[in-house]
Amino acid sequence: MELFTDDIVFEDPVGSPPVRGKAAIRQNIAWAIECKVHEVPGRPVLALDGRTVVAPSVVTTSYPSNMRYQVIGVSEVDGNGLTRSLKAYWGITDVSLPDAPRLTGVAHSLAVTERLIENVRLSEARAGSS
């Protein structure tokens, strides 16, 4: 938590409602731990502005279902080196289902969407019970 500014904004994926502030980030990280998220970062690239970092990563989850995401993360750091913004760019075509038959096209999109909806429902239920 010491790596984030107090007003950190996290979007995962970009286009979904942002998570704002350290308390919300803490809950998000707790959910990631519960989902057994494992992230393998690629080589980061620092922009010439000295405050924007872009890094690819492969993220896998094993709960509530096995999913693998190809993600591009874009972070913005402040003058103290703390992350003030983190955006994860990925979409349906960046997700694979390692434990499912290999699908393509609409069938793949539907299978991934069903799993993402399951994840959201479980996340919302968890948030409602805490």
Side-chain angles (χ1 to χ4, degrees):
M1 297 309 300
E2 294 176 9
L3 299 176
F4 304 116
T5 61
D6 290 338
D7 60 349
I8 176 76
V9 177
F10 178 47
E11 292 180 72
D12 181 17
V14 169
S16 63
V19 174
R20 297 179 184 278
K22 281 188 174 182
I25 290 289
R26 184 175 279 111
Q27 290 177 343
N28 190 274
I29 291 171
W31 175 242
I33 291 168
E34 192 172 321
C35 292
K36 298 180 173 99
V37 170
H38 179 74
E39 185 168 357
V40 178
R43 183 172 179 254
V45 177
L46 176 65
L48 291 177
D49 66 5
R51 61 183 178 85
T52 306
V53 179
V54 178
S57 64
V58 176
V59 178
T60 57
T61 62
S62 58
Y63 172 84
S65 58
N66 292 323
M67 300 177 79
R68 180 174 293 125
Y69 306 77
Q70 299 286 333
V71 178
I72 300 295
V74 178
S75 301
E76 184 180 334
V77 297
D78 69 7
N80 296 317
L82 300 176
T83 303
R84 52 183 242 128
S85 171
L86 177 56
K87 296 180 177 183
Y89 290 87
W90 60 269
I92 298 284
T93 58
D94 301 307
V95 180
S96 60
L97 308 174
D99 62 348
R102 183 168 164 78
L103 302 170
T104 59
V106 173
H108 171 78
S109 295
L110 289 172
V112 169
T113 300
E114 286 175 0
R115 292 215 188 168
L116 291 170
I117 289 169
E118 176 186 8
N119 288 357
V120 168
R121 286 186 179 144
L122 285 169
S123 177
E124 288 172 347
R126 181 183 180 278
S129 67
S130 52

